[in-house]
Amino acid sequence: MMDHYNLTTDIPEVQQDISYVRYVLVSVFFLPCAIVIFVENTFVLLAYKRDKRIRRNTTNAYILNLAVSDLLVSVVMAIYVPVYLTGTWKFGGASCVVLWVLDYTATDMSVMTIIVISVDRYLMVHNSLRHRSRQSHKKVAIICSILWITCLAAHSTLAFTYSSMTGFMHDENRIAGCELGYGHSPVVLVLMFLVEFLVPAICVFALNLTVYFRLKRRSNMLQTRQSRSHLSTAVPLNDRASQTTSWENDGMRIHGSASGSQHQKAARFLALLLIVFIFCWLPFYINECYAFLYCSGVHNEALTDLVSYIMWINSAINPFLYAFTNVFFKENFKQFLKCK
């Protein structure tokens, strides 16, 4: 009895320590990150609305869709703040299920949009003229709408079906923790790992690698033609001008008159996209797999919060990777910040 008494009296102290640490982490890191994500992606939306030059390029509509999904991530993070501070969800079971649907839908849409942007970049490099002639804002809107409807339908069906099967609505303890739990199911975990991480990572890697090699080959071909034209003094000026044509790909230009540093810069940028994606998403699935294989599905609460936080950070990095590399977006951002 003495040991049991000591154990029970120590629990409140541990809980107080955990609550204090969580309060500091939420105040210093989590909430500021949510605010940064919200502000960054709001800038993207405002820039798209006020600048016709941005709207003229249909590819930027995908960046707009990415900003909307990342903005929703910041809203979900803000809703989670009271739960992290108090450890209790006070808004009922139905609203918890809706929050789970929005959370998973927002993060999935961010990943799906990154894949679509990579596909669009590949098509642009593969055949720029044909892609531009076939691309339109209506087509982009249809593609994005299909993605949103698919993600919402999939996660709504999964969340409400799982909550009904497991009796979530009648379990006060699970409702108090807003722990729906279907993300910890082995079958769902494997499917999510494939759909949300492995397949997207492979697609982004393959598409961006193909883009890099095509740009490099074009750059080498132009340099070869220019070197030949310099050896001949009879080349007409119009032909020389045509040989200095540059390709534009989502804000990145590979100039024929430039050195190999241009495609090296493009390669670093494309590699950075994949590295950031893997860094933000892989810890989450490593933690899930470790809990399932070695801890019988029991999760370390602090570690789970940390890897989820790292995954959400991706929404703060995306504007820098996609929007901030565009000249027109940068001009508007500087105006918003009143920077010269």
Side-chain angles (χ1 to χ4, degrees):
M1 291 297 293
M2 183 62 68
D3 292 338
H4 177 70
Y5 176 81
N6 292 337
L7 178 62
T8 55
T9 54
D10 288 343
I11 289 177
E13 295 181 3
V14 175
Q15 290 179 343
Q16 289 178 0
D17 292 340
I18 294 176
S19 300
Y20 177 76
V21 172
R22 178 176 292 181
Y23 177 80
V24 172
L25 291 177
V26 170
S27 302
V28 177
F29 296 103
F30 189 84
L31 187 57
C33 181
I35 295 174
V36 169
I37 294 174
F38 183 85
V39 172
E40 286 178 345
N41 290 283
T42 299
F43 278 5
V44 175
L45 300 182
L46 293 176
Y48 187 91
K49 180 180 179 180
R50 73 191 296 267
D51 198 329
K52 295 181 179 179
R53 299 172 300 175
I54 296 177
R55 295 196 303 271
R56 192 178 298 120
N57 188 347
T58 55
T59 298
N60 291 331
Y62 291 122
I63 297 179
L64 176 69
N65 189 70
L66 181 63
V68 172
S69 60
D70 288 335
L71 190 68
L72 182 58
V73 170
S74 70
V75 174
V76 171
M77 291 178 68
I79 296 175
Y80 271 125
V81 168
V83 182
Y84 286 151
L85 290 178
T86 64
T88 304
W89 176 259
K90 301 180 180 180
F91 306 103
S95 58
C96 175
V97 175
V98 172
L99 182 62
W100 271 66
V101 172
L102 293 178
D103 184 359
Y104 279 85
T105 298
T107 50
D108 279 4
M109 273 303 303
S110 181
V111 174
M112 295 299 108
T113 306
I114 290 174
I115 296 177
V116 172
I117 291 175
S118 298
V119 172
D120 183 79
R121 180 182 289 115
Y122 167 79
L123 294 175
M124 178 68 70
V125 174
H126 179 69
N127 194 324
S128 178
L129 294 178
R130 184 174 65 181
H131 180 63
R132 288 182 182 275
S133 63
R134 293 181 177 181
Q135 191 69 286
S136 65
H137 286 89
K138 181 178 180 180
K139 185 177 180 179
V140 173
I142 292 175
I143 293 174
C144 294
S145 299
I146 292 175
L147 291 176
W148 276 102
I149 292 173
T150 302
C151 288
L152 277 172
H155 285 295
S156 296
T157 301
L158 188 59
F160 284 99
T161 301
Y162 195 86
S163 64
S164 177
M165 292 174 57
T166 59
F168 172 78
M169 294 297 184
H170 305 287
D171 192 333
E172 296 296 333
N173 292 329
R174 291 172 62 192
I175 292 176
C178 194
E179 180 57 49
L180 188 55
Y182 75 81
H184 304 325
S185 170
V187 176
V188 177
L189 177 60
V190 172
L191 291 176
M192 289 173 56
F193 174 76
L194 294 175
V195 175
E196 294 181 346
F197 179 75
L198 185 60
V199 173
I202 294 175
C203 291
V204 172
F205 173 76
L207 290 169
N208 288 335
L209 187 65
T210 304
V211 167
Y212 163 69
F213 281 118
R214 285 185 177 272
L215 292 176
K216 182 178 181 180
R217 184 173 61 182
R218 288 186 179 185
S219 177
N220 292 337
M221 290 174 61
L222 278 177
Q223 291 179 7
T224 301
R225 291 179 182 179
Q226 286 181 341
S227 62
R228 291 178 179 177
S229 66
H230 291 158
L231 296 176
S232 175
T233 57
V235 178
L237 293 177
N238 292 336
D239 290 344
R240 290 184 182 179
S242 64
Q243 291 172 350
T244 61
T245 304
S246 62
W247 284 279
E248 180 179 359
N249 179 41
D250 194 26
M252 297 183 299
R253 296 179 182 272
I254 305 299
H255 294 273
S257 59
S259 64
S261 62
Q262 291 293 337
H263 65 256
Q264 291 177 2
K265 181 179 180 180
R268 289 194 297 267
F269 178 81
L270 297 177
L272 182 62
L273 299 181
L274 185 63
I275 292 173
V276 169
F277 176 74
I278 293 176
F279 173 79
C280 291
W281 281 80
L282 187 57
F284 176 81
Y285 286 105
I286 290 177
N287 178 61
E288 293 292 324
C289 293
Y290 180 82
F292 173 70
L293 294 175
Y294 298 102
C295 302
S296 301
V298 179
H299 290 71
N300 183 303
E301 186 176 354
L303 184 59
T304 301
D305 292 342
L306 177 61
V307 295
S308 299
Y309 173 69
I310 293 175
M311 182 175 64
W312 282 328
I313 288 179
N314 192 31
S315 296
I317 301 176
N318 282 338
F320 287 98
L321 295 179
Y322 294 94
F324 286 28
T325 55
N326 185 291
V327 176
F328 299 142
F329 274 111
K330 288 175 65 175
E331 290 180 1
N332 284 272
F333 297 155
K334 289 180 180 179
Q335 293 180 12
F336 294 151
L337 297 173
K338 296 181 180 180
C339 296
K340 296 182 180 179

